[in-house]
Structure formats: C-alpha cells, structure tokens
Amino acid sequence: LNIIGDVTLISVTPGQTRSENNFFETSNCASDWTAWIGQRIGQTSSDNPDGDAYDNLAEFAFAMPYDSGVGSQSLNGNTAWIIRPDTINPLLLEGVFVRPKGAPTNVTYTLQYAAAPGNPTAWTSLAISSSNLVAADNGDCTETVTIHDLEGITGLRDGKGIVRVKADLDEVPTTGIDHTSVTEVEGWKETTFGLGCQTYNNPFLHETVFTGTVSSVVGQSLGFTISAGNSDLPTIIGSGGSYYLEVTAGANEGQRFDVVSATGATLTLANDTVLDSLAAPFNTLTGAPPNSLVGASVVLRRHRTLDDVFLPTGFHASASKSTADEVQVFSGGAWAIYWLYNGAGAARWVDAGNASMVDKGATVIPPGQGLFFNNRNTADKVLAYGEVRPNDFMRPMGAGYNLVGGGYPIDQSATGTGGRALSLGAGFFGSRDFKTADSFFVWNADATSGASGYTTYYLLNGAPVSSSLIRWVKVGDAAATSRGNELLLLGDRAVFQRAASAMPVYYYPNPWTPGTP
C-alpha cells in the first residue's frame, strides 16, 4: 500500500540502472561555452568584469573563477597554466591546465613554444589533441590536462624554452575564430656549474596566485573591491611563505611591495626605508605605496627562497662547512653565506656565521638578487622554471657594489636593443677614469670553470674634452672599443655593478613581447 506523503530514501550511484526505474543525472555546471556565457547575460568573450588578468574566454577555457582574480583552485591557486617536473620522468617537464569538459566543443587549444622570448616572440604552434595529452576527470565538470615531456614534444632539448597555451573560440560554428585568449608564458633554463664558485640568477617567477586592479590606497593598505570578489585574500597567502605585489601596468609598472597581511579584500604592504638590504622587506620603492596605484594592474606572487633556488636534496651536504656546497649572497655592503649541512639525515641550508645549525632554507632571495654558488664536489646542473615576467623590472641599487641578476631569461647588453639601459640618461655615471665611473664586473669562472678574477667594463664619458665619446668599454682596451651591444649580462648569471651613487629608481625596460597569438 502506497501512502501519499511517505518518503523513502534511495541511494543511487552514478551510472546505476534498474529495469523498472529511470534515473537522470543532472548538473548545473556550465561545461561548454554556450552554457557558460548564457549565464552572464549581456557579456561577451572579451569582457573582463572582475578586472583581473583574464577575460571571459580565458576564465572559461581554463576553468578560472569568473568573479575574482584568484588563481585556478584546481592548480593550488596558481595561474591558468603551469609547468613542473614531469610526474612520469622528474628529469623532464610537463605542462598542466584545467578546462571544462565540454570546452573543446567551441574552443581549440594550441601549445605555442619558442626557444627564447623575443621582440616579438616567434612562436611555433602545436595542436593539443588526444594524442599528446592526458586528461583526468575532476568530478566537477572539469578535467585536468597534462602534456608530458615538454622538451620532447616541442623539440626544445637544448636546456631552455618558453611555452604558453592559446585558446581559440569559434562561438558561432563555421564562422571562423571569434576571439582568442592566451595564458601566461612559462619557461625553463638549465645552468651548469663546474667546480668552484660561479654566479647565478634565477629569472623565473613563482606562478601568480592573484591578479587584479587596485581600487583604493589607504596608507599601507590596497583595496581590491571588484577583483577580490567573494574571495578572502588571507586564505590565498595563508600562513606560510613570503609574498609580494608587483605592478604590471600603469605609472608604477615594475614596482614591488612585500605583503605584510591580508584582511578580506585588502592587502597591507610593507613600508621599506632601505632598498638595498639583505633583510626584508624587499620593496623597490621607499615609503608607503603611492596613491597613483589606484587603477593599476597588479599580481601577487610568492617570493623565491634559498630552498627554491637550490633544492637541498639536489646538492652535496656535509657535516663540515669546508666540504659542503655553499651559497653566497651580497647586498647592502654585507655578505650572507649559507652551507649545506647534513644533520640527522636531512640536508638543510644553515648560516655559516651561526653555530646553531637552524634551517635557513626559507630565506628569501628577492628578484634580481645575484648569488655565488660554490660547488665543492662534482659538476652540477640547476633547472630553473616558472613564469616569465611580462613587464618592466625594477632593480634599485645602492651606492657602491651590488650583486645584480636579471629579471628575464634573456641575455642582455648594457645599452643595445633590448638591453638593461645602463646609460647616462638612466642615471649612470660616466668618466674618463674607470676608477670613478660606474662599472660592472663579469666573473671569469662563469665562462671558464676554475678561472679566477673579473673582466671589468666601465662607462666612458669623454666630457668635457670629447663630449660625444660615451660608451661602455673594457678596462685595459687601449682602443676603447664600444661594448654596449655585446650580450655580457646573462639571464641566468649575475654581475657586480658598482654605482657612484644610489639608484633607487633604476629599472630594466621590458625587453620582450609575446607577439600575436
């Protein structure tokens, strides 16, 4: 006897059938473009209502939050597309992104790659299809796409490369491509270390975890009323790691500010009074963030640390600092030296000046901070990878010596095209006397393992006798041959730069552009 009003609980598993009943599996997930854009009346593929780095197509194609600038939750809060050690062969790299399962109905995905960034970058395209990807169902109308062995699939086997993913939308079938979006550019570079000391610089970035437009500046606090949406910024930065905000567009492009804390849709930034110090904060501007940041596009990233740059398990640890591998950092006229201690079976970086053997692996290595790596054992290789900076790069320098690395995985000249603008107009000091002129010193062992000493270049200024004689020359070159166009400043190495006076606003103009998708 069936009595109206009785309720009987029936558990149904996905795909279950029974001859006497029909079960329907329903979902409100927008797994294809038509459903997704249909939920946003009046919007188009190129609109960007939350003011982050992604337009509507990008947010759909890469399963990004549509109402805030937080990263892909399926990729641990990172950007739309990441590269990382390959899960099949950790000596290689793989690329990963997330997409709605129905996205390929309207969207065509293409892997674009190049040996190095250019101006513009010359991309080669490779269709992403079932033959070169592995798709894993995430159970939420999305799938994680993995492209294994990026080096092999692109042919970039010489230790360097850059990659991105392009998404082409055919909104109205048979009418052609209606809109195109691309991910950030990711890249990698392998550096070889012979025995002894060599310089090093990691120009790649941790993936962005938040992008947005600044809505307000009040003292040290920046508001993101629109870009934060319903997100809680404290959950993004969490309790571990050090984060910084970088301006990607606007009057303050390239400026960076360390993050102190977050509350709701607000980030509180550090106030830095000494820009060339070994100690945090690592801002590029003295004082409080300027009100001119309102309306600026910014990104939030995690700082690289000593452990990030030199993974402890990848190098030689010892119970003695005289035989262990060593990292040397110089800033603000002071050295910090760390050696790889093997204690209790776990290698860790410790301070050479402190007998406590406290783990210093979380020490921040800020962007543009050059290093010396003292390799005391066998030849080693470091594979650096991550996001490629798309904007100008600020690199404040104090008076005297600065150990400087680049902001891009690009070998650059002093004053040539795409160079670092080491010119009089940028504030550098030239002289007929190399002892007083601004100079940079290239460590000879970077090119020849075991070599010693530096090759020195200085900014020659012949004024007042020869006012037109302005060029970078090598010390000891009687002919004063111009060296300004030579690629002496390598992207994965560092040089000592000697500044006659402090240069708090020095920056490298962005030397590359992504070009047309």
Side-chain angles (χ1 to χ4, degrees), residues 34 44 71 91 126 181 183 201 242 283 285 316 337 383 395 506:
T34 301
T44 68
L91 297 178
L126 177 68
S181 296
T183 65
N201 170 66
S242 300
N283 292 6
L285 194 65
H316 182 78
I337 300 176
L383 179 63
R395 183 41 171 102
Y506 169 59

Side-chain angles (χ1 to χ4, degrees), residues 255-305:
Q255 298 285 7
R256 298 185 300 279
F257 305 88
D258 278 11
V259 174
V260 175
S261 62
T263 304
T266 300
L267 291 174
T268 300
L269 309 182
N271 187 331
D272 200 352
T273 58
V274 182
L275 301 183
D276 64 327
S277 170
L278 280 169
F282 300 104
N283 292 6
T284 57
L285 194 65
T286 302
N291 289 330
S292 56
L293 281 177
V294 173
S297 298
V298 300
V299 298
L300 179 66
R301 298 190 182 100
R302 183 165 59 87
H303 269 301
R304 287 213 176 272
T305 64

Side-chain angles (χ1 to χ4, degrees), residues 313 341-348:
T313 55
Y341 172 64
N342 186 14
R348 62 180 182 268

Side-chain angles (χ1 to χ4, degrees), residues 91 158-160 188-192 204 381-384 492:
L91 297 178
D158 59 350
K160 64 178 182 179
W188 67 91
K189 176 69 168 68
E190 188 175 75
T191 302
T192 300
F204 297 104
K381 291 183 179 180
V382 171
L383 179 63
D492 61 338

Side-chain angles (χ1 to χ4, degrees), residues 33 105-108 168-179:
W33 171 254
T105 302
N106 302 94
V107 178
T108 299
D168 288 316
L169 172 68
D170 185 3
E171 190 165 17
V172 180
T174 75
T175 61
I177 302 304
D178 298 294
H179 185 63

Side-chain angles (χ1 to χ4, degrees), residues 85-173:
D86 199 302
T87 48
I88 296 176
N89 182 351
L91 297 178
L92 303 173
L93 291 168
E94 65 185 19
V96 185
F97 66 92
V98 179
R99 68 184 181 190
K101 291 181 65 176
T105 302
N106 302 94
V107 178
T108 299
Y109 293 86
T110 303
L111 178 67
Q112 295 191 306
Y113 60 93
N119 193 14
T121 301
W123 297 102
T124 299
S125 294
L126 177 68
I128 299 176
S129 62
S130 58
S131 64
N132 53 30
L133 65 81
V134 176
D137 193 331
N138 297 321
D140 59 358
C141 295
T142 69
E143 58 186 10
T144 298
V145 174
T146 303
I147 305 172
H148 292 288
D149 186 10
L150 283 174
E151 297 95 328
I153 199 172
T154 61
L156 298 173
R157 291 196 177 278
D158 59 350
K160 64 178 182 179
I162 59 171
V163 285
R164 71 178 181 183
V165 177
K166 179 178 70 160
D168 288 316
L169 172 68
D170 185 3
E171 190 165 17
V172 180

Side-chain angles (χ1 to χ4, degrees), residues 212-512:
T213 303
V214 180
S215 58
S216 64
V217 178
V218 180
Q220 298 296 123
S221 297
L222 269 58
F224 297 92
T225 305
I226 296 176
S227 296
N230 294 321
S231 303
D232 190 32
L233 294 181
T235 63
I236 297 174
I237 64 175
S239 58
S242 300
Y243 288 80
Y244 66 97
L245 201 74
E246 183 162 353
V247 183
T248 58
N252 297 282
E253 181 177 340
Q255 298 285 7
R256 298 185 300 279
F257 305 88
D258 278 11
V259 174
V260 175
S261 62
T263 304
T266 300
L267 291 174
T268 300
L269 309 182
N271 187 331
D272 200 352
T273 58
V274 182
L275 301 183
D276 64 327
S277 170
L278 280 169
F282 300 104
N283 292 6
T284 57
L285 194 65
T286 302
N291 289 330
S292 56
L293 281 177
V294 173
S297 298
V298 300
V299 298
L300 179 66
R301 298 190 182 100
R302 183 165 59 87
H303 269 301
R304 287 213 176 272
T305 64
L306 184 55
D307 275 353
D308 290 331
V309 180
F310 294 103
L311 188 67
T313 55
F315 298 92
H316 182 78
S318 171
S320 169
K321 63 182 176 182
S322 63
T323 58
D325 288 348
E326 183 180 73
V327 173
Q328 305 166 5
V329 186
F330 180 87
S331 186
W335 286 96
I337 300 176
Y338 307 94
W339 62 283
L340 197 54
Y341 172 64
N342 186 14
R348 62 180 182 268
W349 293 105
V350 299
D351 190 337
N354 191 321
S356 66
M357 302 303 179
V358 173
D359 189 344
K360 304 297 288 186
T363 300
V364 169
I365 307 297
Q369 175 60 63
L371 307 167
F372 276 93
F373 176 65
N374 189 4
N375 182 19
R376 288 188 163 128
N377 295 275
T378 59
D380 278 313
K381 291 183 179 180
V382 171
L383 179 63
Y385 60 90
E387 198 173 313
V388 180
R389 176 175 280 103
N391 50 269
D392 293 343
F393 177 57
M394 301 297 297
R395 183 41 171 102
M397 293 193 296
Y401 291 92
N402 302 264
L403 188 53
V404 177
Y408 312 90
I410 300 172
D411 296 341
Q412 295 179 275
S413 64
T415 54
T417 301
R420 295 190 184 174
L422 310 184
S423 64
L424 295 179
F428 287 85
F429 176 72
S431 171
R432 287 178 292 171
D433 184 355
F434 75 89
K435 296 178 183 178
T436 60
D438 282 358
S439 311
F440 62 86
F441 305 80
V442 178
W443 180 239
N444 294 328
D446 288 348
T448 305
S449 180
S452 61
Y454 297 88
T455 299
T456 304
Y457 301 85
Y458 74 99
L459 184 54
L460 171 63
N461 184 356
V465 177
S466 302
S467 299
S468 62
L469 185 60
I470 302 172
R471 63 183 62 168
W472 281 93
V473 300
K474 184 167 70 173
V475 170
D477 180 7
T481 304
S482 177
R483 310 284 181 167
N485 292 326
E486 295 182 13
L487 301 179
L488 302 170
L489 306 167
L490 307 184
D492 61 338
R493 299 292 188 178
V495 298
F496 267 114
Q497 285 188 226
R498 184 181 65 192
S501 57
M503 300 185 64
V505 295
Y506 169 59
Y507 74 99
Y508 307 172
N510 185 6
W512 76 286

